[in-house]
Structures are given as structure tokens and as C-alpha cells.
Amino acid sequence: LDYTLYDVTYVGDSGQNTLVDNDTQSVSVTLDRSMTKRTQVGIIGRYSEYEAPDADAETTNYSLTGRIDHNFSKTLSSSIELGMRNTDSRRRSQENQSTSSVFRARITQNIFEASSYQLLLERRLLPTSTGSVVESDRINLRFRHRIKPTLTFSLSGRYFRNETLEGDGTSSRDRWYYYIRPILTKNLTRNWKVDGAYSYRRQKRKTDNQSADSNSVYLNVTYAWLLR
């Protein structure tokens, strides 16, 4: 049994943009059963509520999925989750009901002792900061390689396609985007580490065919407090 609450409040919003305060509550119940030493199956029931009072919008969602986890070997594992959802949404006087599939597939492999990769495919509902909920399809790919004990290289790639629910009337939310992010991590001591990364992102709207590109570079210094 799991319960989650997200409460988002925007401070200093002058009303010149479309950001609205919102909150999301979700409850999930999972039943798992081990079939063999390598295989585990489960059933997951989920319920969530999304509210954005300033936009006069609310969404309730129910989903039921089945999941199977399997370890092919000590270095290769997978997880597949598949099911259906039913969603009721209201935005001002417009109401909508939609039904669709939901899925999540993940495969992880360790290559020797220094490298690993993970591939993730997923479809789920995501609340937005404008009072609407979108159906999001995404593909994630992450590669990690330890160059030496104190130096690690990571490469992340992600592709998203977001679409509003049928009849929502906010087609400006329909868009796709992807980003690529290489990261280099250096462990200076047991407590200190430095991350340097570059990120490229491209976004395109479905309605007006407009696109935008962004580039960013960051350097992050982290101190971890170790308890003895």
C-alpha cells in the first residue's frame, strides 16, 4: 500500500502567465507473488486525483495493471507492466471521459563490472502546471561506465510525446521533445564529488509546428555527510 501527495504552489505569480497551483493525491495497492527464484508476478491497482482550483479543473483516474519481473541472469533483468486506465476530467464546464492502455517496460544489463545500461518505455498520465493532464509516452536510455574507481561517465537520452486527453480542448499542450545529457562525475574524497554535464533539448508543438532548442552546461559540487 502506497500513498503520495504532491502540492505545488507558485510564489510571486503576477497573473501574467498561465501557471496555476495544483495538488495530486495517489493511492496504489500491489499484490506480488514469487513464481520461481527468477520470476515474480504482481497486480497493481491505482487511484489518483488531480485538482487545480484556480483553473477550475479536476481529474480522477483509475488503473489496473499486471506486472512480471524476470531475472534472465545475474547481469540481465527485465520488468513489464501492462493494463488499462479510466479517466474522468473536468475543466470549467467541459467534461470528458477517456480509456486507454498503460504500460511500462524496463530492461537493465550490467556489462562486465564497470558498465551498465537501462532502457525504459512507458505510457502514463502526467499533471501539468496549467491545470490540464496529458498522456505521456516516453523512452529513456541511460548508459553508465566507470572509467576508474573515482571517475564515472554517464549518458542519458529521453524522448517524450505528450497529448491532451480527448475533448480537453487544450491542444497547445500536445508536443514532443527529446534531450541528450552526458555527465562526468569525479569523486574527490568520500564526502566530496563534482559533476559536470552538458544538456541539449529540442521541443516541438503539434499544433503550430513551432520548435525550440536549448543548450545548457552545469557544474555541481556535492558534499555527503557520512554517519559513523
Side-chain angles (χ1 to χ4, degrees):
L1 178 66
D2 180 71
Y3 171 78
T4 305
L5 170 64
Y6 292 103
D7 187 21
V8 181
T9 303
Y10 294 96
V11 179
D13 183 14
S14 61
Q16 297 178 352
N17 55 46
T18 59
L19 302 180
V20 295
D21 299 344
N22 60 85
D23 65 77
T24 303
Q25 300 183 71
S26 62
V27 179
S28 64
V29 178
T30 303
L31 299 176
D32 287 324
R33 179 179 177 85
S34 295
M35 305 301 293
T36 67
K37 292 182 178 180
R38 293 188 174 187
T39 305
Q40 181 173 288
V41 297
I43 298 177
I44 306 103
R46 296 184 178 92
Y47 171 79
S48 64
E49 290 183 354
Y50 169 77
E51 294 183 346
D54 293 341
D56 193 17
E58 59 183 20
T59 299
T60 59
N61 179 64
Y62 307 83
S63 68
L64 182 65
T65 60
R67 187 187 67 206
I68 179 170
D69 301 327
H70 182 71
N71 296 322
F72 294 95
S73 65
K74 292 182 179 180
T75 60
L76 180 62
S77 63
S78 67
S79 176
I80 299 176
E81 185 177 334
L82 181 65
M84 298 293 295
R85 67 158 178 86
N86 183 269
T87 306
D88 295 302
S89 59
R90 181 189 62 81
R91 187 179 179 90
R92 299 184 177 89
S93 59
Q94 186 176 12
E95 297 184 358
N96 176 61
Q97 184 180 53
S98 66
T99 302
S100 179
S101 61
V102 289
F103 60 83
R104 189 177 191 271
R106 173 189 54 81
I107 185 169
T108 304
Q109 183 171 25
N110 296 320
I111 307 172
F112 303 110
E113 294 183 357
S115 303
S116 64
Y117 75 85
Q118 183 178 92
L119 176 64
L120 174 69
L121 292 83
E122 184 177 34
R123 169 178 289 176
R124 62 173 178 168
L125 293 185
L126 290 178
T128 70
S129 59
T130 59
S132 62
V133 175
V134 298
E135 185 174 68
S136 180
D137 295 337
R138 67 170 178 164
I139 302 174
N140 288 4
L141 179 62
R142 180 178 176 85
F143 172 77
R144 185 176 182 272
H145 176 67
R146 189 174 69 249
I147 301 174
K148 55 184 182 179
T150 60
L151 187 63
T152 303
F153 170 77
S154 302
L155 180 64
S156 298
R158 178 177 295 183
Y159 170 83
F160 274 85
R161 184 182 65 182
N162 294 342
E163 293 185 351
T164 53
L165 303 181
E166 294 180 32
D168 197 3
T170 54
S171 58
S172 62
R173 297 290 93 192
D174 296 352
R175 65 187 63 191
W176 62 261
Y177 62 90
Y178 66 85
Y179 79 75
I180 300 174
R181 179 182 298 168
I183 304 173
L184 196 63
T185 302
K186 172 68 174 179
N187 294 320
L188 303 177
T189 66
R190 291 183 60 193
N191 303 88
W192 292 94
K193 72 174 182 178
V194 178
D195 297 301
Y198 163 76
S199 181
Y200 170 77
R201 170 170 166 163
R202 181 174 179 83
Q203 175 178 283
K204 189 174 183 178
R205 290 185 177 181
K206 185 177 179 180
T207 52
D208 51 20
N209 207 32
Q210 293 183 352
S211 60
D213 299 88
S214 65
N215 296 271
S216 60
V217 178
Y218 72 85
L219 183 67
N220 184 43
V221 180
T222 304
Y223 177 81
W225 187 277
L226 300 178
L227 299 177
R228 295 183 179 179

